[in-house]
Amino acid sequence: MYEKQLPALRKCGLFTGLTDQQILDLIPCFGVRISQYARQETVVMAGDEQTMFGVVIEGQVQVQKEDYSGDRLILGIFGPGEVFGEVPVFSGLTSWPNSVIATQNSEVMFIPHHKISEPCCRVCHSHRLLIANMLRIVAQKALAMNGRLNYLKLRGMREKLAAFLFDQSRLAGSHTFMITMNREQLADYLNVSRPSMSRELGRMRDEGVIDFFRSSFTIKDMGALRGMR
Amino acid sequence: MYEKQLPALRKCGLFTGLTDQQILDLIPCFGVRISQYARQETVVMAGDEQTMFGVVIEGQVQVQKEDYSGDRLILGIFGPGEVFGEVPVFSGLTSWPNSVIATQNSEVMFIPHHKISEPCCRVCHSHRLLIANMLRIVAQKALAMNGRLNYLKLRGMREKLAAFLFDQSRLAGSHTFMITMNREQLADYLNVSRPSMSRELGRMRDEGVIDFFRSSFTIKDMGALRGMR
DNA sequence: AAAGAATCGTAGCCCGTGCTACAAAAGGAT
DNA sequence: ATCCTTTTGTAGCACGGGCTACGATTCTTT
């Protein structure tokens, strides 16, 4: 039981420091729910009651904030082994503040939050480790949000793009790299309009600062890019 | 010892559920550092080495993100009993990602993070509670950041102001309320320019939606305000 | 292979807001 | 009481970027 999910769970920060057997012992104790979702299907709607957080087993989900007007801001994209929804549930909220949709056919495991924050007799020795792991995960998530502010606080299109491309390049460790988002997703991520972004990307190419084709980007003048952050 | 700091520590979420005596027993075990700062003084500089997080004992500190160009974004303002710097340090960072300055004459207690996340023999029975408290604090902080995105993601000045004033009113539970920030701070918080913000506030007053004098605000047409969020 | 749906680039218009500059008012210091 | 500093409100100008529309390309679907 749950052997199918083990590869994803092994990668999950929540189980850092635990053996395969310890993980397999814990899961039945959690009372998890496992669900499948088709591409584009809604995983949770903002406002739904929340008692569990999610772990992506297979596929990919996208957490997004939406207005009434349909404007949306992508908060995060999560793949196998990654956790979502833990911030609100450990904050004491009882409903999901954001929506989650599947960007691919996906499988998600939902874990009741009280199984983490309250003691469980059967596996007490693992429990302290679980809490410490969760503390680290939540802190890192908060930090990632902090990083998002780095882009959103920038006022100009060039500055946002330069900062984003600079970070991506540093992350990839190369001047040439691929991005996982398409143009529309990137625009939502940076909170700008897609046409304006494409226009500016074109200008930066004309000026010889960058080159790109589809999702492949190359930084041709790192100095100029750094300067316009 | 530490009786002077007790009133602030009692209000601190980290010590929720602990008695005064338990708190006083814990502090010596933490190996804290207590420092005073004058108004406008720098508490920590972005980039400084970080091994501790802070608890405000007295006064007020402001966490802010700065560019090279002097542009800044206020991430949070914290008073007595409130915690800052816990997110990066529990994320595993070893240097402060943002700067902190004192907005008033202040006293701050710094607690080494490993005293929270690692066991301490003398007070083991309090320790599980400490970790759980910290988990909640970090999650709530992350959630608050999430809330900040609510303002930053909005494209228009009116929308940002309307959303902010609406939240403030709801928080105060009244259509008339005071805000703790001055105009410049509010502009930095919403990531807009101060003159543009003042202009828009004036317009909203002319239209009879709100009224204000200095830091005192009154919402005169809640329906209109809600509509322009 | 053909048709439909996504994805992406480009162009023009125009509103919104950043910026600089200045004046008025309030608060602090000597 | 007087001067200096800080805070706040206004005005005019310039321009960046949102929005709509359209065409080109690529990826699915049957």
Side-chain angles (χ1 to χ4, degrees), chain B residues 200-211:
Chain B
E200 197 63 35
L201 280 172
R203 279 189 201 144
M204 291 167 80
R205 176 165 57 186
D206 294 345
E207 294 173 18
V209 181
I210 61 172
D211 200 2

Side-chain angles (χ1 to χ4, degrees), chain A residues 114-121 124 127, chain B residues 128:
Chain A
H114 65 264
K115 292 289 182 182
I116 301 293
S117 52
E118 289 167 16
C120 161
C121 294
C124 269
H127 207 92
Chain B
R128 139 168 277 127

Side-chain angles (χ1 to χ4, degrees), chain B residues 82-113:
Chain B
E82 294 192 287
V83 178
F84 65 93
E86 78 284 14
V87 168
V89 84
F90 284 108
S91 300
L93 285 196
T94 55
S95 62
W96 289 81
N98 302 308
S99 294
V100 183
I101 61 169
T103 55
Q104 302 170 14
N105 294 336
S106 303
E107 180 172 301
V108 176
M109 174 183 286
F110 289 96
I111 303 177
H113 79 283

Side-chain angles (χ1 to χ4, degrees), chain A residues 59-171:
Chain A
Q60 189 183 66
V61 303
Q62 171 175 310
V63 180
Q64 58 188 27
K65 193 179 276 296
E66 294 155 323
D67 312 39
Y68 54 99
S69 62
D71 226 25
R72 67 176 184 191
L73 177 69
I74 295 179
L75 297 178
I77 296 180
F78 303 104
E82 294 191 288
V83 177
F84 65 94
E86 79 285 13
V87 169
V89 86
F90 283 108
S91 301
L93 285 195
T94 55
S95 61
W96 289 80
N98 302 307
S99 296
V100 183
I101 60 169
T103 55
Q104 303 171 14
N105 295 335
S106 301
E107 180 172 303
V108 175
M109 174 183 286
F110 289 96
I111 304 178
H113 80 283
H114 65 264
K115 292 289 182 182
I116 301 293
S117 52
E118 289 167 16
C120 161
C121 294
R122 183 155 160 234
V123 284
C124 269
H125 62 285
S126 304
H127 207 92
R128 142 166 276 128
L129 199 53
L130 272 186
I131 296 184
N133 280 341
M134 191 44 101
L135 180 58
R136 196 189 57 251
I137 290 174
V138 174
Q140 284 173 345
K141 186 69 68 77
L143 195 69
M145 262 181 216
N146 202 318
R148 285 296 307 284
L149 295 179
N150 273 329
Y151 301 137
L152 292 186
K153 96 188 177 78
L154 296 174
R155 298 253 170 82
M157 177 72 72
R158 285 185 94 87
E159 289 150 3
K160 288 189 183 191
L161 281 172
F164 175 78
L165 293 173
F166 183 80
D167 287 352
Q168 288 294 309
S169 166
R170 202 162 45 86
L171 212 65

Side-chain angles (χ1 to χ4, degrees), chain B residues 42-51 93-100:
Chain B
T42 299
V43 178
V44 298
M45 287 263 289
D48 284 355
E49 188 189 17
Q50 181 180 20
T51 58
L93 285 196
T94 55
S95 62
W96 289 81
N98 302 308
S99 294
V100 183

Side-chain angles (χ1 to χ4, degrees), chain A residues 67-68 91 139 153 191 229, chain B residues 67-68 91 139 153 191 229:
Chain A
D67 312 39
Y68 54 99
S91 301
K153 96 188 177 78
N191 199 31
R229 272 185 312 168
Chain B
D67 320 47
Y68 52 98
S91 300
K153 92 187 181 76
N191 199 31
R229 271 183 315 167

